[in-house]
Amino acid sequence: MRLLYFDFAGRGAAIRDALRLGNVPFEDVRISYPDFCARRAAGELPWDTLPVVELPDGTVLGQSNAILRWAGALAGLTPPNPGDALRVDDLLDNIEDYGARVSMSIRVVDDELRAQLRAELAQRWLPEWFTLLERRLAAAGHGWLVGAALSIADLKALHLIDKLINGSLSGLHTDALAAFPTLSAWHARVHALRIHRNLA
């Protein structure tokens, strides 16, 4: 089976991590933007977006959260308890909501509007989200976002947070996690696990 996505983290990183952590064999196909445009024009992408997964029977499916849930099930990174599985889904949708705000600030063309959107992210939305994630970590009580073990929710949250604090988005501060010690400790823990498994 093959996972097709661009050659950067984005929506593909958590899926790649899940499959690798679960030792699930797959071909990691990195797509250039011209190749993406050609595949879209040829009708090869179910929703005209990436990522997509090509299954051994020829089925091609899209939607990053659907693929991540599938990868998590294969890798054992989705909790077997229905209540915890619901908590994972709840987080995935929440991360998607906050990610949409970030994407809006990336896609906008006007520099002044971009600066305004980034200021709103830095001053309101990110502190709000980080506070909610700290609350979720405290409620879970085991150092992970859901239950007693790493799940796909941790992976998806990690990669969005990395995008927010890696310095690639003007107006957002690289030390934004400093005021959130529980979240900072979780962030370091997930990265340490990725480094241990040679995913970083």
Side-chain angles (χ1 to χ4, degrees):
M1 90 192 142
R2 308 200 310 160
L3 176 69
L4 284 68
Y5 192 62
F6 300 111
D7 191 19
F8 53 75
R11 295 177 180 274
I15 300 167
R16 292 172 183 143
D17 278 1
L19 292 171
R20 288 174 178 147
L21 286 167
N23 297 312
V24 179
F26 75 104
E27 184 180 351
D28 183 8
V29 181
R30 307 295 177 108
I31 301 293
S32 68
Y33 188 72
D35 188 11
F36 162 69
C37 292
R39 289 172 182 268
R40 182 173 59 184
E44 297 177 9
L45 307 176
W47 304 110
D48 286 346
T49 60
L50 292 175
V52 298
V53 63
E54 296 179 353
L55 301 180
D57 66 0
T59 301
V60 180
L61 296 171
Q63 292 296 332
S64 59
N65 273 352
I67 298 172
L68 180 57
R69 290 183 182 100
W70 164 83
L74 291 178
L77 294 173
T78 301
N81 176 282
D84 282 344
L86 176 60
R87 290 179 179 88
V88 167
D89 281 345
D90 171 60
L91 276 159
L92 294 185
D93 289 347
N94 172 266
I95 296 163
E96 202 69 26
D97 289 344
Y98 281 90
R101 296 185 185 281
V102 179
S103 296
M104 187 185 308
S105 80
I106 294 171
R107 293 192 181 114
V108 70
V109 185
D110 182 80
D111 290 341
E112 186 175 340
L113 179 55
R114 179 182 298 109
Q116 178 185 336
L117 291 172
R118 293 280 168 80
E120 289 175 1
L121 280 169
Q123 295 165 20
R124 176 185 176 187
W125 296 114
L126 298 193
E128 173 189 277
W129 188 44
F130 291 170
T131 298
L132 292 171
L133 288 177
E134 283 238 313
R135 188 182 305 165
R136 181 60 65 94
L137 282 163
H142 298 284
W144 307 105
L145 286 171
V146 177
L150 179 88
S151 74
I152 54 174
D154 295 288
L155 297 175
K156 188 173 178 73
L158 176 83
H159 287 291
L160 178 55
I161 289 172
D162 280 353
K163 180 66 176 175
L164 296 171
I165 65 173
N166 68 9
S168 66
L169 299 177
S170 61
L172 301 186
H173 308 297
T174 56
D175 63 350
L177 282 184
F180 302 91
T182 304
L183 190 60
S184 294
W186 162 88
H187 185 257
R189 185 180 306 109
V190 181
H191 267 300
L193 186 150
R194 294 182 70 251
I195 292 168
H196 178 70
R197 292 295 300 273
N198 295 316
L199 303 186

